Amino acid sequence: MKIIAINGSPRGMEGNTGRLLEEVIAGAREAGAEIEVVNLAQEKIRPCLACDNCHRTGTCLLKDSFEEVKEKLLACDGFILASPNYIFSVTAQMKAFMDRCCGMIHCMSLEGKYAALVESSGSGEDEEVLDAMERFVNMLGALSVGGVGSPAAGARTFPDEENLFARARELGRELCASVREKKGSPEQQAFLHAFRERMQRLVSYMGEEWPYERAQWGKK
Ligand SMILES: Cc1cc2nc3c(=O)[nH]c(=O)nc-3n(C[C@H](O)[C@H](O)[C@H](O)COP(=O)(O)O)c2cc1C
């Protein structure tokens, strides 16, 4: 089972988010997953230009690392998204990546895949950032198995660390169990159902303007 961990922290695996992500990865490895980490700060992923080329052709005009990361996501069984809280949201690195996924969102290209979420903050609003990442996962067509987030207590340390790390490892194991057992989530599936209708309507409305996305929905 192949799991891709996408980390949006500018500090990569050396930061607080990376420390918590290590525990989720350890849980997933225990459950038999092969993990690949993509540190967005080490990749070149420029902000979306809104040129609509992805909608027309399925690929991005910007020649940087995005298409490579996209291919890894399309090929994986599950993925992990990790970001620190930057002003109640994800980092600029993670947001640039999310925006570049707009074409995948229109096609709900990650249907059938599962994701886990990781967040760290200076002092809170962890759920707000986890919720933003969960909504993104659902817009891609994937199901979230949950998230783990916490304020840090210093460099790479957290309050009540034993309990937090136990939850993080359990999340990693749960990600693998969900992939294996193809678990459902009625609440998220209701969102996916409504979002699927919305995307199909949008792509149908755009007609010949977006031939790639039209063909993708035709194949589903
Ligand atoms: C630009 C910036 C914005 C931040 N905004 C917030 C915030 O709104 N709320 C918060 O609790 N912490 C905030 N923080 C603190 C980080 O979320 C926190 O230190 C986090 O654990 C850093 O993770 P990292 O070591 O993986 O980079 C901010 C940090 C930076 C650099």
Side-chain angles (χ1 to χ4, degrees), residues 9-12 15-18 84-88 120-125 152:
S9 168
R11 293 173 176 152
N16 301 329
T17 314
N85 175 351
Y86 272 19
I87 326 292
F88 310 118
S120 79
S121 65
S123 52
E125 284 81 35

Side-chain angles (χ1 to χ4, degrees), residues 52 55-57 203 205-212 214:
D52 286 354
H55 308 318
R56 285 194 295 272
T57 71
V203 169
Y205 173 77
M206 291 307 290
E208 288 308 316
E209 294 279 312
W210 293 350
Y212 174 80
R214 196 176 191 195

Side-chain angles (χ1 to χ4, degrees), residues 96-146:
F97 173 73
M98 287 173 159
D99 291 349
R100 294 284 293 279
C101 290
C102 192
M104 293 169 82
I105 286 173
H106 282 186
C107 300
M108 298 180 76
S109 304
L110 301 187
E111 270 183 311
K113 299 190 196 294
Y114 293 84
L117 312 165
V118 179
E119 182 266 5
S120 79
S121 65
S123 52
E125 284 81 35
D126 306 298
E127 286 304 320
E128 206 165 317
V129 182
L130 290 169
D131 284 351
M133 289 195 282
E134 179 166 288
R135 188 50 61 94
F136 170 66
V137 162
N138 288 161
M139 288 169 86
L140 288 164
L143 290 174
S144 158
V145 305

